Amino acid sequence: MHAMVVGMDGRFAVLLGKDAAYPAPVAFTLAHELGHVMLNHLAEAPALVDVQDPARFHDSDSQEREADQFALMLLTGSPEPDIQTNLSSFNSPTLAAAVLAASGEYGVEPGTLALCLAYRRNAWAVAMSSLRFIYKERKRASDEVNQIAETELDWSLLNDEGAHFLRNVMFGKDD
């Protein structure tokens, strides 16, 4: 499982099954799952599971395409961003330099720009490698996401066993 969104009584949770060392891939996955919620894709089912990475897997399912477009609109301002390069071929450092320079002009996070180009040109290896030049350090995205989730969750709504389980899932420990 790459990620899933579950809903119950008008409340939703996104569960990430795959971690990343940089924020851009996780941002797209979270935005994609939020798309399912905002587009009411859970009206007929209590959960939707994305087995494969929605950024790399081109699904013919209309709900998956809609969630992709929602994610792209949220992250870039366009459901179909037209990210171009003036080079026919490029390597990871040159791609990183280009998106770092262009991110201010476009108002889009540089890692997201690199992944948009990867999607458009099927240049995943170069784009994923460029992330190490874009970001100053590797950092498990799950740590950042779970720290935010911890502050947003109303832990008092869980019984002790449920809170213990969720803390173990999120942090590998209980408090």
Side-chain angles (χ1 to χ4, degrees):
M1 175 192 88
H2 189 79
M4 71 183 294
V5 61
V6 296
M8 177 180 249
D9 299 328
R11 297 176 61 108
F12 302 91
V14 173
L15 305 156
L16 299 174
K18 179 141 169 76
D19 203 357
Y22 304 108
V26 174
F28 181 83
T29 298
L30 282 171
H32 174 93
E33 298 306 320
L34 287 173
H36 285 307
V37 172
M38 298 306 294
L39 297 166
N40 203 29
H41 292 169
L42 278 85
E44 303 295 321
L48 289 174
V49 178
D50 285 317
V51 176
Q52 297 179 332
D53 182 350
R56 291 184 179 197
F57 181 67
H58 307 290
D59 199 321
S60 60
D61 179 271
S62 65
Q63 287 188 346
E64 291 302 313
R65 283 193 316 275
E66 289 172 359
D68 284 349
Q69 289 179 326
F70 178 92
L72 289 168
M73 183 65 141
L74 186 65
L75 296 171
T76 70
S78 172
E80 295 185 24
D82 187 19
I83 308 300
Q84 300 287 330
T85 177
N86 60 352
L87 302 173
S88 59
S89 66
F90 45 85
N91 60 25
S92 299
T94 58
L95 175 59
V99 297
L100 284 165
S103 67
E105 176 186 341
Y106 291 101
V108 177
E109 191 273 332
T112 299
L113 281 176
L115 296 183
C116 286
L117 184 66
Y119 180 83
R120 192 158 287 289
R121 302 258 314 253
N122 197 25
W124 289 106
V126 173
M128 293 306 285
S129 180
S130 76
L131 297 178
R132 66 188 170 116
F133 298 103
I134 294 169
Y135 301 108
K136 294 185 185 331
E137 63 181 316
R138 294 173 62 96
K139 192 184 295 185
R140 285 176 22 141
S142 62
D143 292 342
E144 303 290 320
V145 170
N146 287 339
Q147 286 174 4
I148 293 167
E150 183 179 34
T151 65
E152 296 297 318
L153 288 170
D154 186 349
W155 292 93
S156 68
L157 295 176
L158 298 172
N159 63 28
D160 289 341
E161 184 178 335
H164 174 80
F165 174 77
L166 189 53
R167 281 193 171 97
N168 275 327
V169 168
M170 291 173 64
F171 305 107
K173 62 180 180 188
D174 63 57
D175 296 337

